[in-house]
Amino acid sequence: MTFLLLLLFCFLSPAIFFADSIPSTLDGPFVPVTVPLDTSLRGKAIDLPDTDPRVRRRVTGFEPEQISLSLSSDHDSIWVSWITGEFQIGKNVKPLDPTSSKSVVQFGTLRHSLSHEAKGHSLVYSQLYPFDGLLNYTSGIIHHVRITGLKPSTIYYYRCGDPSRRTMSKIHHFRTMPVSSPSSYPGRIAVVGDLGLTYNTTDTISHLIHNSPDLVLLIGDVSYANLYLTNGTSSDCYSCSFPETPIHETYQPRWDYWGRFMENLTSKVPLMVIEGNHEIELQAENKTFEAYSSRFAFPFKESGSSSTLYYSFNAGGIHFVMLGAYIAYDKSAEQYEWLKKDLAKVDRSVTPWLVASWHPPWYSSYTAHYREAECMKEAMEELLYSYGTDIVFNGHVHAYERSNRVYNYELDPCGPVYIVVGDGGNREKMAIEHADEPGKCPEPLTTPDPVMGGFCAWNFTPSGKFCWDRQPDYSAMRESSFGHGILEMKNETWALWTWYRNQDSSSQVGDQIYIVRQPDRCHRLVNHC
């Protein structure tokens, strides 16, 4: 009995048991730290070739492949997705009939008795280029089935496919999220960004799987199919190597390779994705985000959103808000109105933690993409701050950086902790230069992303310059290295964040801190007009 009480006290009081060995945000703000660059990590990141057995098609006919899970808005439902049939690529492609293969999931709490059945919908998408010499693509049949009526924190077994064709998958399993309450949370949440499909990626995913996550957040830039021409020719820098192409081509089979490689993880652990710039993939008729919006299931309708590019969901006592940086976000935009309504509905007595994610960071001290998303920051930062957002995850910059608590570039004990994890291992180069280094500050008007809007970075540093002359006070720790992070909520006020480097063992910590909420001190809600 004494032992059980001790364990309970340990869970409820991490400050007493862990603060001596692991710092917390209560100890901050911290003096900025830059970990020296490990020059051995600057080798060329090489994509997995299409001959690698991990990306080859291992099924026949209409057997399911690329099976993946994603959460719905709450614990009692989950999405199961998969692909049947082969993709086509060539000058003339004929899409498969999506109704030719049924979308069925058989499931239950006993492996040998899948007594429940759910049906869903199917679709096919195409990536078309109306230019001579460019190849078109049409996908296999993509299936999405939403299972409802599930019990919290329960293991379910399932198989998917078309029973009338006798093309059902092998049996997989997943665990549902705990019920939303201040005392229940997923065990471990993996956070990763800018993955791609390189040998660095394989290290990242291997380490991530070893750390046994219950949920995975992928903060944009998934397959990097747009680093390829339609004939499969690749480059580290598309615009550098292919400046004369009439449209930015993509090689869509890379999406299929990525889905096959990831299936070992995504068929067991829900994956929640938000789009990055590499998912735009412009094609004929100005269509964008076709692969992203088609291949993944999103709880956008369940969360009141009208777009796959932004949505929200609950996982235990956490409310996640996934925002779109490459769709209108200003105060007159539909996304902004949705965000206001979504935040207003959050009950912090049920989901105490508020975590937001989008692709390009607002707070990053690297030269790469420096202050690129300033217009989005100007539009949305006050709203997220006023509702007490606790943690923000971003990608885009191919390095790791964790901030002190910050708001509007000023240290603020009630501001979010911003964490950049764009270090998943993609083919593009690692970010290693900092904007505060001598001669590294970019010209201000070169920094905006044309897709995201104009120049908004008028809020200069305290010295009146565009860049800081030293590592900014908001930047607590930064390092150029590939890796992934694990978030563990201990209770309604303490969460443990751990970042792991790829070059270390999967158990060796690169950065670790307790993120501590102070609701009594920081409770606030401004009047939004």
Side-chain angles (χ1 to χ4, degrees):
M1 183 66 179
T2 303
F3 178 70
L4 291 176
L5 288 174
L6 181 62
L7 284 179
L8 178 62
F9 189 58
C10 179
F11 176 79
L12 293 176
S13 307
I16 296 174
F17 286 86
F18 303 118
D20 288 343
S21 56
I22 301 174
S24 81
T25 51
L26 298 178
D27 303 318
F30 300 96
V31 175
V33 171
T34 299
V35 176
L37 176 68
D38 183 347
T39 55
S40 68
L41 301 178
R42 296 194 63 188
K44 184 178 179 181
I46 301 173
D47 277 335
L48 266 65
D50 58 11
T51 55
D52 191 294
R54 291 170 289 185
V55 306
R56 300 295 294 170
R57 191 168 189 255
R58 297 182 293 273
V59 301
T60 59
F62 282 81
E63 295 175 358
E65 66 162 349
Q66 303 180 50
I67 300 169
S68 64
L69 304 170
S70 57
L71 298 182
S72 187
S73 55
D74 243 317
H75 73 269
D76 58 354
S77 58
I78 197 167
W79 286 95
V80 182
S81 305
W82 68 95
I83 294 180
T84 56
E86 295 190 62
F87 68 78
Q88 303 166 57
I89 187 164
K91 294 181 179 179
N92 298 302
V93 294
K94 183 179 180 181
L96 297 172
D97 178 4
T99 66
S100 64
S101 181
K102 295 179 181 179
S103 308
V104 177
V105 175
Q106 298 170 345
F107 65 99
T109 56
L110 300 175
R111 186 181 184 91
H112 60 274
S113 179
L114 306 181
S115 56
H116 302 282
E117 185 173 279
K119 297 180 181 179
H121 67 278
S122 57
L123 61 106
V124 169
Y125 82 92
S126 298
Q127 190 81 14
L128 305 177
Y129 300 107
F131 300 98
D132 291 340
L134 303 192
L135 303 180
N136 296 314
Y137 171 95
T138 184
S139 70
I141 301 172
I142 302 171
H143 304 261
H144 298 301
V145 176
R146 184 185 177 204
I147 305 175
T148 59
L150 303 176
K151 299 176 182 179
S153 303
T154 301
I155 293 177
Y156 283 88
Y157 298 91
Y158 75 96
R159 61 187 174 195
C160 58
D162 183 349
S164 67
R165 285 178 174 262
R166 297 185 178 180
T167 53
M168 299 296 286
S169 71
K170 70 177 185 179
I171 296 176
H172 301 275
H173 69 275
F174 61 84
R175 180 185 291 274
T176 53
M177 292 293 105
V179 67
S180 291
S181 85
S183 60
S184 60
Y185 299 94
R188 289 181 158 208
I189 302 165
V191 188
V192 66
D194 302 69
L195 265 180
L197 189 56
T198 69
Y199 290 101
N200 287 323
T201 309
T202 64
D203 289 342
T204 300
I205 296 302
S206 175
H207 283 190
L208 186 154
I209 290 174
H210 188 269
N211 282 321
S212 303
D214 299 284
L215 174 65
V216 179
L217 303 183
L218 176 48
I219 317 300
D221 284 1
V222 182
S223 73
Y224 285 80
N226 71 341
L227 289 185
Y228 285 74
L229 300 180
T230 61
N231 64 10
T233 302
S234 64
S235 173
D236 298 334
C237 172
Y238 182 99
S239 60
C240 308
S241 300
F242 315 125
E244 304 300 325
T245 54
I247 191 172
H248 191 130
E249 304 169 42
T250 77
Y251 186 62
Q252 289 295 296
R254 295 299 300 184
W255 278 101
D256 295 285
Y257 304 160
W258 189 90
R260 292 166 186 162
F261 172 78
M262 292 290 289
E263 183 179 323
N264 185 47
L265 171 67
T266 59
S267 61
K268 303 179 184 68
V269 181
L271 175 71
M272 306 306 289
V273 185
I274 196 66
E275 80 280 0
N277 55 299
H278 283 272
E279 279 71 72
I280 296 174
E281 296 187 313
L282 177 66
Q283 60 165 304
E285 300 178 354
N286 289 320
K287 290 183 178 180
T288 53
F289 298 107
E290 286 292 297
Y292 163 86
S293 296
S294 300
R295 289 176 177 270
F296 300 106
F298 308 90
F300 73 100
K301 291 181 180 178
E302 299 100 283
S303 60
S305 168
S306 62
S307 171
T308 59
L309 304 181
Y310 56 91
Y311 60 93
S312 66
F313 62 96
N314 291 333
I318 316 165
H319 184 71
F320 287 95
V321 175
M322 312 290 277
L323 298 178
Y326 304 99
I327 187 174
Y329 47 69
D330 58 84
K331 290 180 171 62
S332 62
E334 189 174 339
Q335 178 178 200
Y336 190 90
E337 287 300 314
W338 169 84
L339 179 59
K340 283 203 304 183
K341 293 176 182 177
D342 186 81
L343 293 175
K345 290 187 294 184
V346 177
D347 185 346
R348 302 301 280 269
S349 68
V350 177
T351 52
W353 288 91
L354 178 56
V355 177
S357 296
W358 59 89
H359 185 57
W362 296 348
Y363 290 96
S364 169
S365 58
Y366 284 83
T367 302
H369 308 298
Y370 181 69
R371 303 184 75 174
E372 180 179 284
E374 199 80 12
C375 290
M376 184 184 183
K377 176 181 175 296
E378 287 291 312
M380 289 184 158
E381 184 177 25
E382 180 187 3
L383 182 60
L384 290 170
Y385 174 81
S386 68
Y387 276 96
T389 302
D390 299 301
I391 307 170
V392 172
F393 291 113
N394 302 117
H396 203 39
V397 176
H398 300 162
Y400 173 74
E401 187 165 16
R402 171 176 52 83
S403 80
N404 286 305
R405 289 194 177 276
V406 61
Y407 171 64
N408 196 26
Y409 291 114
E410 298 288 339
L411 297 180
D412 188 317
C414 298
V417 173
Y418 289 81
I419 299 175
V420 178
V421 284
D423 55 350
N426 70 81
R427 181 166 179 172
E428 293 181 317
K429 63 184 179 181
M430 185 185 296
I432 60 173
E433 295 180 347
H434 307 112
D436 48 88
E437 296 174 21
K440 301 301 183 182
C441 182
E443 288 295 322
L445 293 180
T446 66
T447 58
D449 184 337
V451 179
M452 295 188 64
F455 183 79
C456 297
W458 304 109
N459 186 356
F460 291 99
T461 67
S463 65
K465 299 178 181 179
F466 188 63
C467 298
W468 279 255
D469 55 9
R470 56 182 174 80
Q471 186 172 354
D473 290 339
Y474 68 74
S475 175
M477 189 273 197
R478 62 189 183 187
E479 179 175 352
S480 297
S481 179
F482 295 120
H484 77 283
I486 295 288
L487 180 66
E488 302 171 78
M489 268 57 186
K490 301 301 182 180
N491 57 38
E492 61 186 290
T493 54
W494 285 70
L496 179 62
W497 167 253
T498 309
W499 174 69
Y500 298 91
R501 302 182 190 93
N502 275 10
Q503 66 267 32
D504 300 331
S505 70
S506 57
S507 60
Q508 185 172 338
V509 172
D511 182 37
Q512 192 168 52
I513 189 170
Y514 278 104
I515 298 173
V516 185
R517 298 180 59 245
Q518 295 180 278
D520 294 338
R521 178 181 184 180
C522 299
H523 179 73
R524 60 192 178 274
L525 178 61
V526 301
N527 180 29
H528 300 286
C529 301

